[in-house]
Amino acid sequence: MKSSKPTQPKQYGAAQARVVMKLANELTGEFGFLEFRDNVEVPGVFISEPYVDMLPSGARGIEAGRLLAWNPAVDLENGPDPATWPVLPATFSARDLAAFLVYGVGTFIHDFLGTDGVLDESALKNVGGMRDEWARQALREAYELAGRARAVVGPLDDEAERAAVLLGRQLDDATDQANERERVFEPGISGDEASARRDRAKAAVACLEKEFDGLKAKAEQKRERWRRDMVRALFEVEDVRQGEAVQKKKPGRKLSVAPALLAEILNALESYAATTGQDFDRHAMPGPLGKSADDEGGFHWLCARLYPRVFNRAPATFTGYRAGLCALAPYPKPTDFYRLALPRIAPKLGVTLDVRHMPKKGREVA
C-alpha cells in the first residue's frame, strides 16, 4: 500500500450515494422520503414509491408536491428524462451531489451541515462511519462547487417569500376573525345560511387573499428561476477562476463571473489573515474600501489589481458585485491590510503581479 490516504475518485459510487440518502432520510424524521433502486435503467436514489405523485406538483400543484417530484434533470436544457432520472445517480460526481442539495429533499441536509454554502466541518465528521471518508469528501466537494455556483448566480432573493409568509399569517388571522364575526360555524343553522355566512366572510378577506396569492406566485417564480440558474451553473460553468464562464452556447442572459472571483478573493484573504494572525470577517471587513478601483490600498483596488478586466469598474458596479458576499465593518478605520495582502494572495490565485503592484513600506506581517 503506497499511501495511507485513499485517492479521491472523480466519480463516486453507490456506497457513497447510500450514505447521502441515509443522512437525508434521518434528517426528515420517520418519513423515509428516499429509497435506493438498482433494478432500473439508471440506478440511484429516488423518491420512495409511496410518495410518488402523492401530492400535486404541476402548475396548479403545491410546494410540498414540487419538493418531492423534483430532480436536477427538471432544470437542465437537453438533459436526461426527469421522469426516469434519479435525484442522485448511483455513479455520481460532486456536481451531481451539489445539484441534489439545491432543492427537494436534499435541502434538509443544509440544516445539519450548514446553510448558504458554508460547510460545518465539525458536523461533517458525524456523517457516516469510519469507512465513509469518500462520502464525506463528496459532500465537501459538493459544498465547494455549490458555493462557486452561488457566487456566479447570486443568493436567492427571498424577500417576496418572507413577505408571503408574513402576509399568509395575516390572512389566516383575518379569516378566523371574519368567520367568527359572521358566526360561520354556529350550530343549528341551515345549510343555506351557513353558505351565505361563509360567502360574506370570504368576501371580507378577498383583497388580502388576492394580494397573498400574487406575492406567493412572485416568490415561487423567483425560487424556480434561482433553482434553475443554480443547477445550470453547476453543470455548465466549467471554470470560474479564469475570468470567463465556459458554458454551452445557448441564448439568454450570460452569467457574471465577478461574484465567483470575488468569493475566491475573500477565501484567499481569510487564509492570509489566519496565516498572519489577523482577524478577518468578510461581513465586517477592515477598511478602506476605496473610492474607486484606482484608490490604492483599498479593497476595490486590490480586486482590480488581481482581475482588472472584471473589477476595474465604477464604484456602483463594484457595490453590486459585493452585495450579499461581503461588507465592511461599521465605521472601519483605514489599514494596510489589502496593500500587504495583495502580493501574498496573488500567487495562490494564479495571478502574476508587476512591480508597480507590490506594497509600499508598511508594518511588517508574518
Side-chain angles (χ1 to χ4, degrees):
M1 188 177 293
K2 295 182 179 180
S3 173
S4 60
K5 183 177 180 180
T7 302
Q8 305 298 343
K10 293 183 179 180
Q11 292 288 321
Y12 296 94
Q16 289 78 52
R18 289 179 185 274
V19 172
V20 173
M21 178 189 73
K22 182 180 178 182
L23 175 62
N25 278 339
E26 288 175 349
L27 294 172
T28 55
E30 301 298 324
F31 292 102
F33 285 127
L34 301 175
E35 65 182 14
F36 193 91
R37 300 180 197 166
D38 52 13
N39 59 345
V40 291
E41 182 179 354
V42 183
V45 179
F46 290 81
I47 294 297
S48 299
E49 197 65 39
Y51 296 104
V52 175
D53 297 329
M54 184 181 75
L55 300 172
S57 61
R60 296 185 179 182
I62 60 176
E63 181 65 13
R66 284 188 280 270
L67 282 167
L68 290 174
W70 181 84
N71 65 51
V74 170
D75 291 319
L76 287 174
E77 286 189 342
N78 303 317
D81 182 1
T84 59
W85 195 254
V87 292
L88 182 66
T91 301
F92 67 95
S93 67
R95 293 178 188 270
D96 293 310
L97 180 53
F100 167 68
L101 300 177
V102 167
Y103 190 67
V105 179
T107 57
F108 287 95
I109 290 177
H110 294 303
D111 296 334
F112 182 69
L113 292 183
T115 58
D116 297 326
V118 180
L119 178 64
D120 184 344
E121 282 284 348
S122 61
L124 182 64
K125 293 178 182 178
N126 295 317
V127 174
M130 181 183 295
R131 296 182 296 179
D132 295 319
E133 179 56 33
W134 280 7
R136 290 186 286 271
Q137 180 63 20
L139 285 162
R140 188 178 291 111
E141 291 178 11
Y143 258 75
E144 181 181 356
L145 288 172
R148 293 181 189 174
R150 190 173 182 271
V152 173
V153 173
L156 171 66
D157 180 3
D158 62 352
E159 182 178 352
E161 199 167 282
R162 287 184 281 109
V165 170
L166 294 176
L167 192 60
R169 294 172 184 168
Q170 185 180 344
L171 176 60
D172 289 341
D173 291 341
T175 300
D176 290 341
Q177 293 171 11
N179 286 335
E180 184 177 353
R181 185 172 58 252
E182 296 293 340
R183 296 180 296 172
V184 171
F185 303 109
E186 182 179 4
I189 61 175
S190 66
D192 290 342
E193 178 61 21
S195 295
R197 294 182 183 187
R198 190 176 297 109
D199 289 343
R200 290 197 297 270
K202 190 172 180 62
V205 298
C207 290
L208 191 60
E209 186 173 19
K210 183 178 180 181
E211 183 181 357
F212 170 72
D213 289 341
L215 198 56
K216 184 181 177 183
K218 181 180 179 181
E220 289 174 351
Q221 290 172 359
K222 285 189 174 184
R223 178 171 286 278
E224 182 177 338
R225 188 182 308 116
W226 179 83
R227 184 194 74 202
R228 182 192 62 229
D229 288 347
M230 278 291 292
V231 171
R232 293 181 182 179
L234 282 167
F235 288 103
E236 296 170 4
V237 179
E238 298 298 333
D239 190 352
V240 297
R241 296 174 183 268
Q242 302 303 318
E244 293 184 3
V246 181
Q247 305 185 53
K248 298 176 182 177
K249 291 184 178 180
K250 61 185 182 72
R253 176 174 59 88
K254 185 177 181 180
L255 296 173
S256 170
V257 299
L261 293 175
L262 189 57
E264 294 290 317
I265 292 172
L266 292 168
N267 291 338
L269 288 173
E270 287 177 342
S271 178
Y272 163 75
T275 301
T276 56
Q278 302 180 70
D279 292 327
F280 181 82
D281 182 345
R282 66 176 63 195
H283 297 294
M285 294 163 54
L289 171 63
K291 296 179 180 179
S292 71
D294 298 320
D295 193 354
E296 187 172 345
F299 178 58
H300 191 175
W301 167 83
L302 174 139
C303 295
R305 297 290 76 77
L306 291 167
Y307 301 107
R309 292 181 60 184
V310 178
F311 293 115
N312 194 4
R313 298 286 187 266
T317 302
F318 186 64
T319 298
Y321 292 156
R322 294 189 296 111
L325 289 176
C326 63
L328 265 69
Y331 310 108
K333 296 180 179 180
T335 68
D336 288 333
F337 181 80
Y338 304 111
R339 188 195 312 277
L340 297 172
L342 178 61
R344 297 283 292 273
I345 69 173
K348 298 182 182 299
L349 294 170
V351 175
T352 302
L353 300 173
D354 62 43
V355 293
R356 293 174 297 173
H357 298 153
M358 298 299 288
K360 296 177 181 178
K361 186 176 180 180
R363 64 181 180 87
E364 294 183 356
V365 293

